[in-house]
Amino acid sequence: MLKNKTALITGSTSGIGLGIAKALARQGANIMLNGFGDVDGARAEVEALGVRVEYHGADMSKPAEIEAMMQAAAAAFGQVDVLVNNAGIQHLSLVEDFPVDRWDAIIAINLSSAFHTTRLALPAMKAANWGRIINLASVHGLVGSAQKSAYVAAKHGLVGLTKVTALETATTGVTCNAICPGWVLTPLVQKQVDIKAEALGLSNEEAKKLLLGEKEPSGQFTTPEELGELAVFLCSPAAGNVRGVAWNMDGGWVAQ
Ligand code: NAD
Protein backbone atom coordinates (compact mmCIF):
# COMPACT_ATOMS: atom_id res chain seq x y z
CA MET A 1 0.00 0.00 0.00
CA LEU A 2 2.88 2.42 0.72
CA LYS A 3 5.30 1.36 -2.02
CA ASN A 4 7.36 4.33 -3.32
CA LYS A 5 6.32 6.38 -0.29
CA THR A 6 8.65 7.56 2.48
CA ALA A 7 7.85 7.54 6.18
CA LEU A 8 9.85 9.50 8.73
CA ILE A 9 9.28 8.37 12.33
CA THR A 10 10.86 10.38 15.12
CA GLY A 11 12.12 8.39 18.11
CA SER A 12 12.02 5.12 16.19
CA THR A 13 15.01 3.29 17.67
CA SER A 14 12.83 1.53 20.26
CA GLY A 15 9.32 0.95 21.53
CA ILE A 16 6.27 2.32 19.72
CA GLY A 17 8.25 4.25 17.08
CA LEU A 18 10.13 1.12 16.02
CA GLY A 19 6.86 -0.87 15.97
CA ILE A 20 5.25 1.74 13.70
CA ALA A 21 8.35 1.91 11.46
CA LYS A 22 8.18 -1.87 10.97
CA ALA A 23 4.43 -1.84 10.27
CA LEU A 24 4.83 0.89 7.62
CA ALA A 25 7.86 -0.92 6.13
CA ARG A 26 5.72 -4.08 5.80
CA GLN A 27 3.45 -1.94 3.58
CA GLY A 28 6.45 -1.11 1.38
CA ALA A 29 7.35 2.37 2.68
CA ASN A 30 10.98 3.46 2.75
CA ILE A 31 11.89 4.56 6.26
CA MET A 32 13.83 7.43 7.85
CA LEU A 33 14.68 6.42 11.41
CA ASN A 34 15.55 8.83 14.23
CA GLY A 35 16.35 8.49 17.93
CA PHE A 36 19.12 7.44 20.28
CA GLY A 37 20.22 4.09 21.72
CA ASP A 38 20.54 0.93 19.62
CA VAL A 39 20.49 2.52 16.17
CA ASP A 40 22.17 -0.43 14.41
CA GLY A 41 19.70 -2.93 15.92
CA ALA A 42 16.68 -0.83 14.87
CA ARG A 43 18.08 -0.32 11.37
CA ALA A 44 18.71 -4.07 10.96
CA GLU A 45 15.14 -4.93 12.06
CA VAL A 46 13.59 -2.55 9.51
CA GLU A 47 16.03 -3.37 6.69
CA ALA A 48 15.13 -7.06 7.12
CA LEU A 49 11.67 -6.12 5.77
CA GLY A 50 13.21 -5.32 2.37
CA VAL A 51 12.82 -1.52 2.23
CA ARG A 52 15.37 1.28 2.03
CA VAL A 53 16.30 2.69 5.45
CA GLU A 54 18.12 5.89 6.36
CA TYR A 55 18.86 7.28 9.82
CA HIS A 56 19.26 10.81 11.17
CA GLY A 57 20.33 11.45 14.76
CA ALA A 58 18.65 14.86 15.21
CA ASP A 59 17.89 15.77 18.82
CA MET A 60 14.16 16.60 18.87
CA SER A 61 14.75 19.33 21.45
CA LYS A 62 16.80 21.31 18.89
CA PRO A 63 14.93 23.06 16.04
CA ALA A 64 18.09 23.49 13.92
CA GLU A 65 18.77 19.73 14.07
CA ILE A 66 15.13 18.97 13.20
CA GLU A 67 15.46 21.22 10.15
CA ALA A 68 18.66 19.37 9.13
CA MET A 69 16.83 16.02 9.49
CA MET A 70 13.93 17.15 7.29
CA GLN A 71 16.39 18.38 4.64
CA ALA A 72 18.31 15.07 4.81
CA ALA A 73 15.05 13.12 4.35
CA ALA A 74 14.11 15.20 1.31
CA ALA A 75 17.62 14.81 -0.14
CA ALA A 76 17.61 11.03 0.38
CA PHE A 77 14.04 10.18 -0.64
CA GLY A 78 12.61 13.18 -2.54
CA GLN A 79 10.05 13.99 0.14
CA VAL A 80 8.40 12.81 3.34
CA ASP A 81 4.92 11.36 2.61
CA VAL A 82 4.17 9.96 6.08
CA LEU A 83 5.34 11.85 9.16
CA VAL A 84 5.01 10.13 12.53
CA ASN A 85 5.78 12.44 15.46
CA ASN A 86 6.60 9.88 18.12
CA ALA A 87 9.71 10.92 20.08
CA GLY A 88 8.87 11.45 23.73
CA ILE A 89 10.24 11.40 27.25
CA GLN A 90 8.65 11.32 30.70
CA HIS A 91 9.42 12.67 34.17
CA LEU A 92 7.38 12.15 37.35
CA SER A 93 7.23 14.87 39.99
CA LEU A 94 4.73 17.08 41.82
CA VAL A 95 4.19 20.47 40.13
CA GLU A 96 5.94 22.40 42.90
CA ASP A 97 8.99 20.11 42.74
CA PHE A 98 9.10 19.69 38.95
CA PRO A 99 12.66 20.43 37.71
CA VAL A 100 12.44 23.38 35.31
CA ASP A 101 14.91 21.78 32.89
CA ARG A 102 12.72 18.59 32.71
CA TRP A 103 9.62 20.75 32.01
CA ASP A 104 11.44 22.53 29.18
CA ALA A 105 12.79 19.26 27.73
CA ILE A 106 9.38 17.53 27.77
CA ILE A 107 7.63 20.47 26.11
CA ALA A 108 10.40 20.68 23.48
CA ILE A 109 10.62 16.95 22.67
CA ASN A 110 6.98 15.86 23.15
CA LEU A 111 5.27 18.94 21.67
CA SER A 112 7.41 21.59 19.92
CA SER A 113 9.29 19.02 17.81
CA ALA A 114 5.98 18.03 16.17
CA PHE A 115 5.30 21.67 15.29
CA HIS A 116 8.73 21.92 13.63
CA THR A 117 8.52 18.66 11.64
CA THR A 118 4.93 19.45 10.61
CA ARG A 119 5.63 22.99 9.43
CA LEU A 120 8.61 21.67 7.42
CA ALA A 121 6.80 18.65 5.92
CA LEU A 122 3.51 20.33 4.96
CA PRO A 123 4.55 22.35 1.86
CA ALA A 124 5.68 19.22 -0.06
CA MET A 125 2.69 17.18 1.17
CA LYS A 126 0.27 19.91 0.05
CA ALA A 127 2.05 20.21 -3.33
CA ALA A 128 1.67 16.43 -3.84
CA ASN A 129 -1.92 16.58 -2.52
CA TRP A 130 -1.19 13.51 -0.39
CA GLY A 131 0.28 13.10 3.06
CA ARG A 132 -0.28 11.52 6.43
CA ILE A 133 0.74 13.13 9.73
CA ILE A 134 0.33 10.91 12.78
CA ASN A 135 1.05 12.36 16.21
CA LEU A 136 1.78 9.93 19.05
CA ALA A 137 -0.10 11.62 21.84
CA SER A 138 -1.35 9.49 24.74
CA VAL A 139 -4.35 8.94 26.97
CA HIS A 140 -2.60 11.82 28.73
CA GLY A 141 -3.64 13.98 25.78
CA LEU A 142 -7.24 13.33 26.93
CA VAL A 143 -7.07 12.96 30.73
CA GLY A 144 -4.58 13.80 33.45
CA SER A 145 -2.58 11.82 36.01
CA ALA A 146 -0.83 13.16 39.11
CA GLN A 147 2.93 13.83 38.89
CA LYS A 148 2.89 14.16 35.09
CA SER A 149 2.22 17.90 34.61
CA ALA A 150 4.68 18.50 31.77
CA TYR A 151 3.78 15.28 29.95
CA VAL A 152 0.02 15.86 30.24
CA ALA A 153 0.39 19.50 29.16
CA ALA A 154 2.54 18.49 26.16
CA LYS A 155 0.18 15.68 25.09
CA HIS A 156 -2.95 17.85 25.41
CA GLY A 157 -1.04 20.42 23.31
CA LEU A 158 -0.21 17.77 20.73
CA VAL A 159 -3.90 16.85 20.40
CA GLY A 160 -4.62 20.55 19.86
CA LEU A 161 -1.92 20.83 17.19
CA THR A 162 -3.41 17.73 15.53
CA LYS A 163 -6.86 19.35 15.29
CA VAL A 164 -5.55 22.62 13.85
CA THR A 165 -3.31 20.85 11.31
CA ALA A 166 -6.30 18.70 10.28
CA LEU A 167 -8.48 21.79 9.80
CA GLU A 168 -5.83 23.60 7.76
CA THR A 169 -5.50 20.58 5.42
CA ALA A 170 -9.18 19.55 5.42
CA THR A 171 -9.77 20.19 1.71
CA THR A 172 -6.57 18.42 0.63
CA GLY A 173 -5.28 14.85 0.43
CA VAL A 174 -3.23 15.47 3.57
CA THR A 175 -4.64 14.19 6.88
CA CYS A 176 -3.47 14.66 10.45
CA ASN A 177 -4.56 12.49 13.37
CA ALA A 178 -3.37 11.53 16.83
CA ILE A 179 -2.98 8.10 18.41
CA CYS A 180 -3.51 7.95 22.16
CA PRO A 181 -2.13 4.76 23.74
CA GLY A 182 -2.66 3.65 27.30
CA TRP A 183 0.13 1.59 28.89
CA VAL A 184 2.59 0.05 26.41
CA LEU A 185 5.46 -1.96 27.87
CA THR A 186 8.39 -0.01 26.35
CA PRO A 187 11.58 1.31 28.02
CA LEU A 188 9.65 4.51 28.89
CA VAL A 189 7.06 2.55 30.91
CA GLN A 190 9.47 -0.08 32.28
CA LYS A 191 11.15 2.81 34.15
CA GLN A 192 7.81 3.59 35.84
CA VAL A 193 7.35 -0.11 36.69
CA ASP A 194 10.85 -0.10 38.24
CA ILE A 195 10.05 3.00 40.34
CA LYS A 196 6.86 1.31 41.66
CA ALA A 197 8.63 -1.99 42.36
CA GLU A 198 11.41 -0.22 44.25
CA ALA A 199 9.07 2.07 46.25
CA LEU A 200 6.68 -0.71 47.30
CA GLY A 201 9.11 -3.65 47.50
CA LEU A 202 7.32 -5.54 44.70
CA SER A 203 8.56 -7.92 42.01
CA ASN A 204 8.58 -6.76 38.38
CA GLU A 205 5.42 -8.82 37.65
CA GLU A 206 3.58 -7.50 40.73
CA ALA A 207 4.48 -3.89 39.84
CA LYS A 208 3.24 -4.34 36.25
CA LYS A 209 -0.09 -5.77 37.51
CA LEU A 210 -0.49 -2.85 39.92
CA LEU A 211 0.26 -0.29 37.21
CA LEU A 212 -2.31 -1.84 34.84
CA GLY A 213 -4.88 -2.32 37.60
CA GLU A 214 -4.81 1.39 38.52
CA LYS A 215 -5.84 2.55 35.03
CA GLU A 216 -6.66 -0.13 32.46
CA PRO A 217 -9.85 -2.19 32.81
CA SER A 218 -8.50 -4.72 30.28
CA GLY A 219 -5.52 -5.50 32.52
CA GLN A 220 -3.46 -5.75 29.30
CA PHE A 221 -0.68 -3.66 27.82
CA THR A 222 -1.28 -2.33 24.29
CA THR A 223 1.55 -3.50 22.00
CA PRO A 224 3.72 -1.55 19.52
CA GLU A 225 2.47 -4.03 16.86
CA GLU A 226 -1.18 -3.09 17.52
CA LEU A 227 -0.30 0.62 17.35
CA GLY A 228 1.60 -0.04 14.11
CA GLU A 229 -1.54 -1.52 12.55
CA LEU A 230 -3.56 1.55 13.62
CA ALA A 231 -0.95 3.75 11.91
CA VAL A 232 -1.24 1.59 8.76
CA PHE A 233 -5.03 2.09 8.79
CA LEU A 234 -4.61 5.87 9.14
CA CYS A 235 -2.37 5.76 6.02
CA SER A 236 -4.92 3.71 4.04
CA PRO A 237 -7.37 5.08 1.45
CA ALA A 238 -10.24 4.11 3.78
CA ALA A 239 -8.95 6.68 6.29
CA GLY A 240 -8.79 9.50 3.74
CA ASN A 241 -11.54 11.45 5.51
CA VAL A 242 -10.46 10.69 9.07
CA ARG A 243 -9.28 14.14 10.15
CA GLY A 244 -8.27 15.56 13.50
CA VAL A 245 -9.22 12.57 15.65
CA ALA A 246 -7.48 11.58 18.87
CA TRP A 247 -7.85 7.79 18.72
CA ASN A 248 -7.31 6.05 22.02
CA MET A 249 -6.07 2.44 22.14
CA ASP A 250 -6.00 2.06 25.88
CA GLY A 251 -7.77 -1.02 27.24
CA GLY A 252 -10.71 1.13 28.31
CA TRP A 253 -8.69 3.72 30.31
CA VAL A 254 -10.60 6.83 29.18
CA ALA A 255 -13.99 5.07 28.90
CA GLN A 256 -14.24 5.15 32.70
P1 NAD B 1 10.73 4.73 24.19
O1 NAD B 1 11.52 5.31 25.32
O2 NAD B 1 10.82 3.27 23.90
O3 NAD B 1 11.06 5.48 22.83
C1 NAD B 1 11.27 6.84 22.76
C2 NAD B 1 12.03 7.14 21.51
O4 NAD B 1 12.28 8.55 21.46
C3 NAD B 1 13.41 6.45 21.46
O5 NAD B 1 13.71 6.10 20.13
C4 NAD B 1 14.34 7.56 21.93
O6 NAD B 1 15.69 7.39 21.49
C5 NAD B 1 13.67 8.75 21.29
N1 NAD B 1 14.05 10.03 21.88
C6 NAD B 1 14.03 10.42 23.17
N2 NAD B 1 14.49 11.68 23.29
C7 NAD B 1 14.80 12.09 22.03
C8 NAD B 1 15.30 13.29 21.49
N3 NAD B 1 15.62 14.34 22.26
N4 NAD B 1 15.50 13.36 20.15
C9 NAD B 1 15.23 12.30 19.35
N5 NAD B 1 14.73 11.15 19.81
C10 NAD B 1 14.52 11.04 21.14
O7 NAD B 1 9.23 5.20 24.48
P2 NAD B 1 7.83 4.76 23.88
O8 NAD B 1 7.03 4.27 25.03
O9 NAD B 1 7.96 3.92 22.67
O10 NAD B 1 7.24 6.18 23.51
C11 NAD B 1 7.01 6.63 22.20
C12 NAD B 1 5.94 7.70 22.20
O11 NAD B 1 4.70 7.11 22.62
C13 NAD B 1 6.23 8.85 23.16
O12 NAD B 1 5.81 10.06 22.58
C14 NAD B 1 5.36 8.51 24.37
O13 NAD B 1 5.01 9.67 25.08
C15 NAD B 1 4.17 7.89 23.68
N6 NAD B 1 3.38 7.03 24.57
C16 NAD B 1 3.93 5.96 25.18
C17 NAD B 1 3.12 5.18 26.02
C18 NAD B 1 3.65 3.98 26.73
O14 NAD B 1 2.91 3.41 27.56
N7 NAD B 1 4.83 3.50 26.47
C19 NAD B 1 1.77 5.51 26.20
C20 NAD B 1 1.25 6.60 25.55
C21 NAD B 1 2.07 7.37 24.72
Side-chain angles (χ1 to χ4, degrees), residues 19-254:
I20 291 178
K22 286 162 65 178
L24 298 179
R26 277 188 211 101
Q27 298 299 319
N30 293 319
I31 302 292
M32 175 68 102
L33 294 172
N34 160 260
F36 309 139
D38 183 10
V39 174
D40 291 342
R43 182 192 274 268
E45 280 189 47
V46 184
E47 272 174 352
L49 299 166
V51 297
R52 201 177 137 204
V53 181
E54 297 287 343
Y55 166 78
H56 196 285
D59 181 336
M60 288 301 113
S61 67
K62 304 208 164 100
E65 293 188 23
I66 295 171
E67 201 147 349
M69 177 185 72
M70 298 305 287
Q71 280 169 3
F77 293 111
Q79 74 171 73
V80 172
D81 304 289
V82 178
L83 169 65
V84 183
N85 290 308
N86 167 80
I89 58 168
Q90 176 62 284
H91 182 86
L92 272 59
S93 186
L94 296 173
V95 172
E96 62 269 35
D97 301 329
F98 215 92
V100 171
D101 72 324
R102 289 300 82 203
W103 174 278
D104 288 344
I106 288 174
I107 298 299
I109 296 165
N110 296 21
L111 175 58
S112 300
S113 73
F115 159 66
H116 293 297
T117 53
T118 300
R119 74 181 168 79
L120 295 165
L122 270 177
M125 286 182 177
K126 281 184 174 171
N129 199 31
W130 197 90
R132 294 287 187 266
I133 300 173
I134 300 172
N135 292 325
L136 255 294
S138 164
V139 285
H140 288 116
L142 305 169
V143 296
S145 288
Q147 301 215 22
K148 296 187 177 177
S149 54
Y151 189 87
V152 169
K155 296 299 188 183
H156 274 70
L158 191 54
V159 169
L161 175 65
T162 302
K163 291 175 181 172
V164 173
T165 306
L167 291 176
E168 291 182 4
T169 51
T171 58
T172 76
V174 180
T175 71
C176 179
N177 293 290
I179 293 178
C180 299
W183 293 123
V184 186
L185 193 56
T186 64
L188 183 141
V189 161
Q190 185 60 49
K191 270 191 219 152
Q192 295 175 59
V193 173
D194 294 344
I195 290 169
K196 221 172 238 322
E198 165 94 29
L200 302 173
L202 301 173
S203 71
N204 183 49
E205 279 315 304
E206 288 167 336
K208 283 198 283 198
K209 260 207 188 111
L210 188 64
L211 201 78
L212 286 166
E214 282 169 359
K215 300 283 188 183
E216 289 212 11
S218 70
Q220 305 277 336
F221 288 103
T222 298
T223 66
E225 290 72 24
E226 288 164 344
L227 293 162
E229 290 307 312
L230 179 52
V232 167
F233 169 69
L234 290 173
C235 291
S236 73
N241 207 27
V242 178
R243 298 178 187 272
V245 307
W247 190 319
N248 42 313
M249 198 187 240
D250 63 357
W253 184 324
V254 303

